[in-house]
Amino acid sequence: MSTYIPVIGITMGDAAGVGPEVVVKSLTHAQVYEQCRPLVIGDARRLEHAIVICQLDMDVRRIADPSQARYERGTIDVIDLELIPEDLPFGELSPLAGDAAYRYIARAVELAQAKQIDAICTAPLNKEALHAGGHKYPGHTEMLAHLTGVDEVSMMLVAPQLRVIHVTTHIGIIDAIRKIEPGLVQRTIERGNATLVKAGIAKPRIGVCGINPHAGENGLFGYGEEEEKIIPAVKLLQERGLDVTGPLPADTLFFRAGRGDFDLVVAMYHDQGHGPVKVLGLEAGVNVTVGLEVIRTSVDHGTAFDIAGKGVVDEGSMLEALRQGAELATRR
C-alpha cells in the first residue's frame, strides 16, 4: 500500500516582502517533495522575479486548478492570481500587496474546503499592508478563522524543543488580562491537547503559565487572577483525565519544558509565549493554527522588508513549516 503524500497549498504572502524568495528557495530542496506535493497560490511573475534574485535554476508553471499540477522538483506549480505588477518594489509597504496576500489566503481556503488541498502553509504577510489593502484582521490566525467560519482558534508555536499554545494573541496586555477567563483557558488547553494526540502523543503533558510573576505567589502579586481565571479550568481538565499542571511561574516553566518535562506550554498572552520560542531562533519556529478544519502552518518570521529582494533570506522556517504541515495533514 502506497503512503499518501498530502497536497500543501503554499500562499506567497506579501509580494513586497521575503515571501516569494522563501517559497522558491524552499522548493529547491528534495526533502520537500518527499514529504508533500507543494502547490503555490500566488503570482507567477513575482516567483520568476524571486528565482532570478536568488540565482536559482527553476521554472514556474501556471495552472488554473490543482488537478493540472505535476509536482516535479525544478518546476513550481502555481495557481496564478496575476495581482502583482512587474514593477512593484521590494521592501516597501504596498496596499496592493496587502490585498493580494489576503486573496491568496482566500483562494487557499476555498481549495481546502473543496478538499483539493490537505493543508495550508503560509509565507509571511504584513499587517499594516493588509489593513491598507482593506482587510482589517490582526493577522493570519484571525483571518483564517473568519474565512472558515470558525468562532475561535488558537495559535501554537512549535520549535525543536518547545511547543507553546496561546490563550490570547494579538491584543494589548491589559485587554489580554481582561479577556482571559476559565472557559477560554479550558478550550485553549483542549485544542492543544487534541492537536498533540492527533500528532501521535497519546497523553500530552501540559504546563500552564500564570499571568503574574511567580504565578501570583498565593496572592502576593496581582489581584487573584490565577485563582479566578486559570485554576478552575485546570482543575476541571484534571478531573477529566488530562495531564495538566499549573498555573506555574512562566520563567521556570519554559526552562522545564525545554528540557523535556512538558509536551506543551500554555501561554496567557502574546509575548509570554513568543519570547522564549524566538530566543531559540526565528528559523527554528513554526506557527500552527489550532482549531481550524484544515491544518495551517506558517513561518514564524515577518516580511523582513529590510532584506526583501536581496536573495539572502533563510528558508529554514519554511522548510520546517512544510514538514510540520505534511506531518499533521497525514496523521489527520
Side-chain angles (χ1 to χ4, degrees), residues 156-165 192-193 195-197 199-208 243-245 253-254 256-266:
M156 183 189 289
L157 299 183
V158 180
Q161 261 109 34
L162 192 61
R163 299 181 194 89
V164 185
I165 194 166
N193 184 75
T195 300
L196 294 194
V197 169
I201 301 171
K203 188 156 185 178
R205 299 161 301 157
I206 301 170
V208 182
D243 188 350
V244 185
T245 308
L253 173 51
F254 282 102
R256 291 179 61 194
R259 76 180 182 191
D261 293 3
F262 295 98
D263 300 303
L264 179 66
V265 173
V266 181

Side-chain angles (χ1 to χ4, degrees), residues 249-278:
D251 50 3
T252 50
L253 173 51
F254 282 102
F255 167 75
R256 291 179 61 194
R259 76 180 182 191
D261 293 3
F262 295 98
D263 300 303
L264 179 66
V265 173
V266 181
M268 291 294 135
Y269 50 89
H270 185 283
D271 285 14
Q272 188 181 55
H274 277 59
V277 173
K278 292 193 175 178

Side-chain angles (χ1 to χ4, degrees), residues 1-317:
M1 193 178 103
S2 61
T3 305
Y4 179 72
I5 301 175
V7 179
I8 298 194
I10 305 169
T11 56
M12 198 179 78
D14 191 299
V18 293
E21 295 159 81
V22 164
V23 170
V24 298
K25 278 188 165 186
S26 65
L27 296 182
T28 63
H29 293 260
Q31 72 203 54
V32 170
Y33 289 84
E34 292 161 10
Q35 294 160 351
C36 69
R37 290 178 284 169
L39 174 68
V40 181
I41 299 122
D43 266 72
R45 274 191 311 196
R46 199 61 166 183
L47 294 170
E48 287 166 344
H49 194 168
I51 287 167
V52 172
I53 287 166
C54 298
Q55 299 179 330
L56 302 173
D57 182 18
M58 308 175 82
D59 295 315
V60 172
R61 195 165 160 268
R62 294 156 171 81
I63 59 173
D65 188 84
S67 62
Q68 299 169 326
R70 292 183 191 150
Y71 307 115
E72 295 164 348
R73 188 179 168 215
T75 301
I76 299 173
D77 293 298
V78 58
I79 292 184
D80 185 12
L81 272 57
E82 298 182 76
L83 298 170
I84 302 300
E86 214 156 339
D87 60 353
L88 182 89
F90 280 96
E92 292 180 21
L93 190 94
S94 162
L96 197 149
D99 175 56
Y102 169 83
R103 292 178 190 275
Y104 306 148
I105 295 285
R107 177 61 66 86
V109 167
E110 286 172 12
L111 293 172
Q113 290 175 331
K115 304 282 191 273
Q116 290 182 289
I117 60 175
D118 301 297
I120 298 170
C121 183
T122 57
L125 53 72
N126 182 283
K127 294 181 182 73
E128 203 178 331
L130 183 71
H131 294 177
H135 307 286
K136 307 292 184 185
Y137 299 97
H140 267 124
T141 308
E142 297 82 1
M143 190 197 313
L144 282 156
H146 175 78
L147 286 168
T148 54
V150 175
D151 291 334
E152 195 176 86
V153 295
S154 298
M155 178 190 289
M156 183 189 289
L157 299 183
V158 180
Q161 261 109 34
L162 192 61
R163 299 181 194 89
V164 185
I165 194 166
H166 294 69
V167 175
T168 66
T169 49
H170 296 116
I171 53 176
I173 187 73
I174 293 170
D175 295 326
I177 292 167
R178 196 177 288 129
K179 186 175 179 180
I180 297 164
E181 50 85 25
L184 179 59
V185 173
Q186 177 194 330
R187 294 190 298 276
T188 303
I189 296 170
E190 286 171 336
R191 277 191 287 271
N193 184 75
T195 300
L196 294 194
V197 169
K198 278 179 193 163
I201 301 171
K203 188 156 185 178
R205 299 161 301 157
I206 301 170
V208 182
C209 291
I211 294 170
N212 294 294
H214 303 192
E217 206 162 294
N218 300 316
L220 187 62
F221 304 114
Y223 298 92
E225 287 86 358
E226 281 75 17
E227 289 76 8
E228 176 196 338
K229 296 170 177 285
I230 301 173
I231 289 173
V234 169
K235 283 185 174 169
L236 179 72
L237 292 171
Q238 286 171 340
E239 286 165 11
R240 289 185 183 172
L242 271 69
D243 188 350
V244 185
T245 308
L248 298 168
D251 50 3
T252 50
L253 173 51
F254 282 102
F255 167 75
R256 291 179 61 194
R259 76 180 182 191
D261 293 3
F262 295 98
D263 300 303
L264 179 66
V265 173
V266 181
M268 291 294 135
Y269 50 89
H270 185 283
D271 285 14
Q272 188 181 55
H274 277 59
V277 173
K278 292 193 175 178
V279 164
L280 297 172
L282 284 174
E283 72 287 346
V286 173
N287 186 328
V288 182
T289 306
V290 176
L292 295 172
E293 289 175 31
V294 63
I295 295 295
R296 177 261 173 167
T297 62
S298 177
V299 294
D300 189 34
H301 60 72
T303 44
F305 280 169
D306 56 327
I307 60 166
K310 297 177 182 174
V312 297
V313 68
D314 186 290
E315 69 272 28
S317 184

